[in-house]
Amino acid sequence: MAKPTTTPENDLQTLTVEVLAQESVLREGGGKAGRERQERLGRLVARDRIAALLDKGSPWQEIGLWAGYEMYEQWGQVPAAGVITGIGLVSGRRCMIVANDATVKAGAFFPQTVKKVLRAQRIAYLNGLPLLYLVDSSGVFLPLQDEIFPDDDDFGAIFRNNAVFSAAGLPQIAAIMGACIAGGAYLPMLCDKILMTEGSSLYLAGPALVKAAIGQDLSEEELGGATMHATISGSIDFHEKDDPACIKRLRSLVKRLPADPPPTTVEPDPPARKTAKKKAAVTTPARAKTPKPAKDPKTLYDLLDVKGHKLYDVRDLMACVVDAGSVDEYRADFGQTIVCAYAQIAGRPVGIVANQRLQVKPAKGAIQMGGVIYADSADKAARFIMDCGQTKLPLVFLQDVRGFMVGRDAEQSGIIRSGAKLVSAVSNTESPKITVITSGSYGAGNYAMCGKGFDPRLIFAWPNAQYAVMGGAQAAKVLTQIEARTAQRRGKEFDPAALNELREKIEQAYEHKTDIRYGAARGWVDAIIAPHTTRDVLIQALDTVTRPAPSGGFRAGVLQT
């Protein structure tokens, strides 16, 4: 790899190493104390359960690792929001796994825990992924119940989804491997199959609450143990002695689900037939080689910097991601601040929509700034997206956008009309969408390039990515100007030193809130990925988003009681 040209403070590779180190800490969950508690109870920790459940050596695409990061410091650390979600292969079937991490606050649900589970459910539903719930939770974190309980995107929405998904024919299996208390008990009850390990608990109210409410003095086993539910209430389908037995049974049940469809790939061009001068020989065609990108993905670290100041040709970025020789660029000489292209990634056909960061010179008009969406580029991208939608070709958005062009010339060119056309195309296309934020994601450009609010099936970001209405320096300038004008209207002089201090304070606050770790904590992206892994991440993502949607299932009328 070539020596980076950026300074250490602005080096993308250095930042990536830092972020990966932080992720290693997040994966430790509740740490040694939490692990020891699980061991005393004879239970595996959540990540060990997932590792045992997944097919050996298969990839694992974790979703929402940064959820809740630095958000609940008043209550202590809540790594990964106390729940692990991700996509992996179980008995050869691609599944969404949702596993409570009992090492973190006994697996209690915080606001971001709920948001994370809802996001996992949405991804599963849109992509036809069977859902496997590994339940081990004490329920709602009561001090924050007002932020968890009542709204349409809160705790109850999880159970609503369980019911709707079941009606749609999306398989859901719950394995109770610890506590399953209060409202959380509805989750397994609304699944297709329920497993429960010995020593686990399933009840609406615990022994202490039952005694206080109605005076009954009961043990946990009498009230909601696995034996009681297997023999008396009839609420569970499989009674397992421990975690390994439960995981073995779960794998067996998943194996009975319909097999995954093979991935859609483009057949490589056949090799040219060789002809002999005297006698034609019959030869066996050479086996097609695994496609590779034109450039080493590690060169991405030299292409961009952390601050987003370097200009680069986005085609060089694409060359590290798509198959070599597979690119057919669409309207290459028109609307050049967005590059649109048909391509393949590991043989899988895709449409690419990418912000160009070089300055470009259109055939008519002034030079256009890189990373900015102009009317012509918006028109081109909208038509390309609509064309991909005709065949539901998956769309990959490579987002490094500064926003839409502003000013007199932009307004006269119809930038609002063209922008609305692009937003409409992104919103309504039937193509599955995947977004990768490689640097800036600013203003309405975030919307036009398929930000989180525009239903990307999966959305990833590099460690240097930034989310904001505008850059920190711009925001600080605007806000300080407003403060200065307000002071003038009140007949006061705004001290220049105080103005500078305010500007610096605003800029620092913006930098903190535009950091992608801040956004990932709030679920704005599904994962922060190392730049050189982008191609591999997209290969896994394409396997997910090209699955058929749930076909619909059995619908009952009014059941007899």
Side-chain angles (χ1 to χ4, degrees):
M1 180 175 170
K3 185 178 178 181
T5 56
T6 51
T7 61
E9 302 81 33
N10 201 21
D11 179 20
L12 178 54
Q13 191 166 23
T14 300
L15 177 61
T16 300
V17 170
E18 176 189 324
V19 168
L20 292 177
Q22 288 179 301
E23 290 192 342
S24 295
V25 175
L26 291 174
R27 289 191 181 95
E28 292 175 5
K32 183 179 178 182
R35 180 177 286 273
E36 288 175 348
R37 179 180 178 276
Q38 287 292 93
E39 289 174 355
R40 287 196 302 271
L41 294 170
R43 299 171 185 165
L44 299 173
V45 296
R47 290 192 182 275
D48 289 349
R49 287 170 175 166
I50 293 171
L53 181 61
L54 294 173
D55 294 349
K56 191 173 181 180
S58 65
W60 164 247
Q61 192 158 52
E62 186 160 353
I63 303 297
L65 175 60
W66 289 85
Y69 175 68
E70 293 185 344
M71 291 183 68
Y72 305 112
E73 293 184 343
Q74 177 185 355
W75 309 104
Q77 297 299 318
V78 188
V83 65
I84 302 164
T85 60
I87 303 164
L89 291 175
V90 178
S91 298
R93 279 75 175 164
R94 193 169 299 276
C95 299
M96 173 64 76
I97 299 172
V98 177
N100 300 114
D101 187 350
T103 70
V104 179
K105 307 295 184 186
F109 275 73
F110 284 71
Q112 284 302 316
T113 316
V114 174
K115 303 297 187 289
K116 183 172 175 177
V117 173
L118 289 173
R119 175 61 177 163
Q121 288 183 320
R122 179 167 179 76
I123 291 170
Y125 182 74
L126 290 174
N127 299 296
L129 294 168
L131 272 153
L132 309 180
Y133 301 95
L134 309 185
V135 183
D136 192 354
S137 170
S138 60
V140 166
F141 185 69
L142 290 176
L144 296 176
Q145 64 85 27
D146 62 316
E147 300 178 41
I148 300 169
F149 169 66
D151 213 340
D152 59 0
D153 62 347
D154 283 343
F155 200 47
I158 295 172
F159 316 134
R160 176 264 182 198
N161 286 347
N162 291 140
V164 171
F165 295 176
S166 183
L170 187 71
Q172 297 177 94
I173 306 175
I176 302 168
M177 309 171 80
C180 186
I181 299 170
Y186 287 111
L187 185 149
M189 288 299 112
L190 289 163
C191 289
D192 306 335
K193 300 176 183 68
I194 308 171
L195 299 78
M196 188 172 180
T197 58
E198 191 63 34
S200 295
S201 302
L202 171 66
Y203 42 65
L204 290 179
L209 182 55
V210 168
K211 185 173 182 180
I214 61 174
Q216 289 182 351
D217 194 358
L218 303 168
S219 68
E220 288 206 358
E221 174 56 41
E222 289 176 296
L223 188 61
T227 299
M228 189 281 287
H229 282 301
T231 61
I232 299 176
S233 79
S235 296
I236 65 171
D237 305 312
F238 299 93
H239 181 184
E240 306 298 337
K241 66 176 183 178
D242 55 21
D243 283 11
C246 187
I247 291 167
K248 182 179 179 181
R249 178 83 69 182
L250 184 52
R251 284 183 53 82
S252 177
L253 294 172
V254 174
K255 193 174 183 179
R256 286 161 172 76
L257 297 176
D260 280 7
T264 301
T265 58
V266 173
E267 290 292 329
D269 293 332
R273 181 179 293 177
K274 294 182 179 180
T275 56
K277 291 181 179 179
K278 295 182 179 180
K279 186 178 181 181
V282 178
T283 58
T284 303
R287 181 176 293 178
K289 294 181 180 179
T290 303
K292 292 184 178 180
K295 292 189 176 182
D296 184 347
K298 290 184 179 178
T299 61
L300 290 169
Y301 293 106
D302 296 326
L303 198 62
L304 282 78
D305 61 5
V306 172
K307 299 295 185 184
H309 297 321
K310 287 180 70 173
L311 301 182
Y312 63 91
D313 190 334
V314 75
R315 298 178 186 87
D316 291 332
L317 190 156
M318 290 165 56
C320 298
V321 174
V322 305
D323 298 349
S326 72
V327 175
D328 292 309
E329 189 171 343
Y330 179 86
R331 296 191 180 183
D333 299 319
F334 180 79
Q336 297 173 69
T337 63
I338 294 181
V339 172
C340 299
Y342 306 101
Q344 283 102 54
I345 299 177
R348 296 155 176 82
V350 296
I352 304 285
V353 182
N355 298 112
Q356 174 61 278
R357 284 302 312 279
L358 292 179
Q359 289 186 343
V360 298
K361 181 67 174 72
K364 183 180 180 180
I367 289 175
Q368 296 179 344
M369 293 183 289
V372 178
I373 301 175
Y374 290 77
D376 55 354
S377 52
D379 286 342
K380 177 179 79 171
R383 191 175 191 282
F384 177 76
I385 289 165
M386 289 188 287
D387 181 68
C388 291
Q390 290 288 86
T391 56
K392 298 185 180 179
L393 184 69
L395 283 162
V396 176
F397 291 83
L398 300 176
Q399 192 183 116
D400 184 1
V401 61
R402 268 51 191 165
F404 283 86
M405 190 58 190
V406 297
R408 181 193 60 200
D409 293 343
E411 299 295 352
Q412 291 180 355
S413 74
I415 187 65
I416 299 175
R417 181 183 65 248
S418 296
K421 189 188 306 180
L422 176 53
V423 168
S424 179
V426 172
S427 302
N428 291 296
T429 182
E430 293 189 24
S431 294
K433 298 168 285 189
I434 304 169
T435 299
V436 182
I437 305 172
T438 63
S439 186
S441 181
Y442 294 105
N446 167 276
Y447 305 155
M449 292 297 293
C450 197
K452 179 68 184 296
F454 287 78
D455 290 329
R457 298 286 185 90
L458 291 162
I459 179 167
F460 305 104
W462 289 3
N464 56 308
Q466 293 188 322
Y467 256 126
V469 172
M470 62 181 71
Q474 291 173 294
K477 188 174 182 179
V478 169
L479 291 172
T480 50
Q481 285 176 350
I482 291 171
E483 287 289 339
R485 285 199 297 267
T486 301
Q488 287 175 352
R489 283 199 299 269
R490 292 172 180 171
K492 297 180 181 178
E493 281 289 331
F494 208 113
D495 179 37
L499 200 64
N500 273 340
E501 186 180 343
L502 178 61
R503 183 184 296 113
E504 289 176 7
K505 187 177 179 181
I506 293 170
E507 195 164 343
Q508 287 172 4
Y510 245 76
E511 284 189 9
H512 172 68
K513 291 184 178 181
T514 57
D515 189 300
I516 197 58
R517 286 165 284 196
Y518 182 93
R522 288 151 180 81
W524 301 345
V525 297
D526 294 318
I528 301 175
I529 62 173
H532 72 276
T533 67
T534 303
R535 176 178 166 87
D536 293 334
V537 168
L538 287 174
I539 291 170
Q540 292 182 57
L542 286 165
D543 282 342
T544 296
V545 305
T546 52
R547 293 171 54 86
S551 57
F554 169 71
R555 290 179 178 270
V558 178
L559 296 175
Q560 296 296 327
T561 58

